[in-house]
Amino acid sequence: MEPYFRVLSSNSEGQVHQFTIELNVNHPVYKGHFPDVPVTPGVVLTDICRTLTAQIVNEELQLVEAKSIKFLSMVNPNETPHLNVTIDAVRDDLVISTKIIGEFDKRVYFKINANFASVN
């Protein structure tokens, strides 16, 4: 299956990692959510954050604790095909604690404060 998104650019400074991503408007998830006005489901946004965090630590990760998840605006990939995702990630033993913000053009779409752990 096609991925939800692709990374257009990334950079890191210390524990802060910034990604610019492009959403895949042709992904099958948008056919059911919703065909005429596609909206990126919260679970997809959360999974994008998991995938980007896994890329940072070069490990397959799973969400182990969602301390706070706030979806502040709907993400319609036709209107907002790109997102800037900033991940502040700190490894504490086996857990990667993150503070994540998804925004574009001065509009914040989501904030996630979550812990991830290696699948292996």
Side-chain angles (χ1 to χ4, degrees):
M1 181 179 294
E2 306 173 49
Y4 302 122
F5 71 100
R6 69 183 179 111
V7 175
L8 298 177
S9 66
S10 65
N11 65 57
S12 299
E13 190 172 308
Q15 65 193 36
V16 178
H17 310 271
Q18 296 179 325
F19 298 88
T20 298
I21 65 168
E22 179 177 60
L23 298 171
N24 178 3
V25 71
N26 296 315
H27 193 279
V29 74
Y30 295 114
K31 289 180 182 23
H33 205 269
F34 301 94
D36 296 329
V37 182
V39 175
T40 308
V43 68
V44 169
L45 294 171
T46 303
D47 192 55
I48 289 170
C49 293
R50 180 198 59 80
T51 302
L52 293 173
T53 304
Q55 183 176 325
I56 292 166
V57 298
N58 198 29
E59 295 177 38
E60 186 62 32
L61 298 177
Q62 63 184 356
L63 177 67
V64 293
E65 182 181 17
K67 294 180 177 183
S68 172
I69 297 181
K70 296 179 182 178
F71 301 111
L72 304 168
S73 295
M74 289 190 297
V75 179
N76 177 333
N78 288 325
E79 297 172 359
T80 310
H82 301 105
L83 287 172
N84 297 321
V85 181
T86 302
I87 302 174
D88 186 342
V90 177
R91 182 183 287 274
D92 181 20
D93 198 25
L94 300 176
V95 174
I96 297 103
S97 298
T98 61
K99 292 181 182 172
I100 304 168
I101 297 175
E103 57 87 22
F104 193 76
D105 199 24
K106 299 183 183 178
R107 183 176 195 173
V108 177
Y109 288 89
F110 62 86
K111 294 181 180 183
I112 297 175
N113 185 353
N115 293 336
F116 298 95
S118 177
V119 172
N120 302 325

